[in-house]
Amino acid sequence: MALFRGVWSVLRALGRTGVEMCAACGGRIPSPVSLVCIPKCFSTLGNYPKKPMTSYLRFSTEQLPKFKAKHPDAKLSELVRKIAAQWRELPEAEKKAYEADFKAEWKAYKEALSKYKEQLTPSQLMGFEKEARQKRLKKKALIKRRELVLLGKPKRPRSAYNIYVSESFQEAKDNSTQGKLKIVNEAWKNLSHEEKQAYIQLAKDDRIRYDNEMKSWEEQMAEVGRSDLIRRSVRRSGDTPEN
């Protein structure tokens, strides 16, 4: 997280990724990895310009200590929701002040970024941009996974085989993971039809659990304006209420 420097100053205090702020306020914060992936070979070319925090992240950074002091036992998700609610109720004049600061810093950042890139040779610039793209994709996927965990997306249903593995893996008498899996796999193959049916039924029950939890979760996502997280098939069927 320290990689993201200024953008992540609030997040180091939170111990989470910036997407949770976005999730709570119902908006979309630009990904903090868009321009900050720097190959080590460029570290000798000078300090890479720091990307400024968005107006909402700046507000959150200021408010987090206050909310922690008021609610020391509150969970992180609860603090985020409280901060988001206060941001939504903030007078437009105060929001515009935050936005003006961000725009000014963003302009300075872009100018500094342009000067930084001018230091690079064509080959360095090409390598820089290629590695930056690769890292952005990886970070974007990681942030997405962390966002869904934070938002409480239900765990996917397990198959009958996976349930059996989770129950039998530790009991397998082998020191290596590969060896344990081999033993468990052979044991699964040798189960009788009746024994497998018990796990098949557990898998069916888990699927019902998943479907019910997903329906409730997607309704919550629609209510907070995160319809982008709702499955396409559900959006097409119109089962989820409009925001």
Side-chain angles (χ1 to χ4, degrees):
M1 290 185 180
L3 176 63
F4 304 138
R5 296 184 176 180
V7 177
W8 291 110
S9 59
V10 60
L11 308 178
R12 285 196 295 270
L14 287 171
R16 299 285 183 178
T17 66
V19 291
E20 61 198 68
M21 295 296 190
C22 162
C25 72
R28 297 308 300 269
I29 296 174
S31 172
V33 300
S34 59
L35 287 171
V36 295
C37 302
I38 312 303
K40 292 182 180 179
C41 61
F42 297 130
S43 60
T44 58
L45 298 176
N47 292 327
Y48 189 84
K50 297 179 182 179
K51 193 172 184 181
M53 286 188 287
T54 63
S55 53
Y56 179 68
L57 274 178
R58 185 188 299 274
F59 174 79
S60 301
T61 304
E62 297 172 355
Q63 297 301 318
L64 178 63
K66 300 176 184 178
F67 276 86
K68 277 191 171 182
K70 291 180 181 178
H71 311 280
D73 299 325
K75 295 181 180 179
L76 174 61
S77 57
E78 294 174 0
L79 294 176
V80 170
R81 283 195 291 270
K82 290 178 182 295
I83 293 173
Q86 183 167 323
W87 171 259
R88 288 194 295 269
E89 297 173 359
L90 202 68
E92 284 302 315
E94 294 186 39
K95 283 187 179 180
K96 287 181 179 179
Y98 281 99
E99 292 167 3
D101 289 341
F102 171 72
K103 288 179 180 179
E105 291 187 5
W106 182 260
K107 182 180 179 181
Y109 163 75
K110 295 294 287 185
E111 293 174 353
L113 178 63
S114 179
K115 291 180 181 179
Y116 179 85
K117 288 186 175 182
E118 289 175 358
Q119 302 177 63
L120 308 182
T121 65
S123 60
Q124 286 176 328
L125 183 59
M126 184 178 297
F128 168 83
E129 292 179 343
K130 179 180 179 181
E131 186 163 347
R133 283 194 299 272
Q134 293 173 344
K135 288 186 177 181
R136 284 200 300 270
L137 290 175
K138 290 180 181 179
K139 291 297 181 180
K140 184 177 181 180
L142 178 61
I143 288 174
K144 186 69 173 180
R145 288 196 297 271
R146 287 176 175 174
E147 177 183 23
L148 293 177
V149 170
L150 178 75
L151 291 173
K153 184 176 181 179
K155 293 183 178 180
R156 295 185 64 82
R158 296 180 297 170
S159 67
Y161 175 73
N162 286 339
I163 294 174
Y164 177 76
V165 170
S166 66
E167 290 185 357
S168 309
F169 183 80
Q170 295 300 330
E171 298 177 2
K173 296 180 179 181
D174 197 288
N175 294 328
S176 68
T177 300
Q178 186 175 0
K180 285 179 178 290
L181 287 175
K182 184 177 181 180
I183 292 173
V184 172
N185 186 52
E186 288 298 321
W188 170 258
K189 291 179 180 178
N190 293 327
L191 287 181
S192 66
H193 175 73
E194 290 74 16
E195 289 173 321
K196 283 189 177 180
Q197 280 300 123
Y199 289 99
I200 291 173
Q201 183 59 51
L202 288 174
K204 290 180 179 179
D205 293 342
D206 197 38
R207 180 70 200 193
I208 294 173
R209 182 273 312 166
Y210 173 75
D211 289 340
N212 290 336
E213 290 182 359
M214 277 297 294
K215 182 178 180 180
S216 175
W217 183 78
E218 286 174 329
E219 288 174 351
Q220 294 176 21
M221 293 302 99
E223 291 175 0
V224 298
R226 294 304 306 273
S227 59
D228 58 299
L229 298 178
I230 299 173
R231 292 168 293 181
R232 292 181 180 178
S233 58
V234 175
R235 291 202 297 266
R236 285 197 299 267
S237 67
D239 292 339
T240 305
E242 294 294 332
N243 187 35

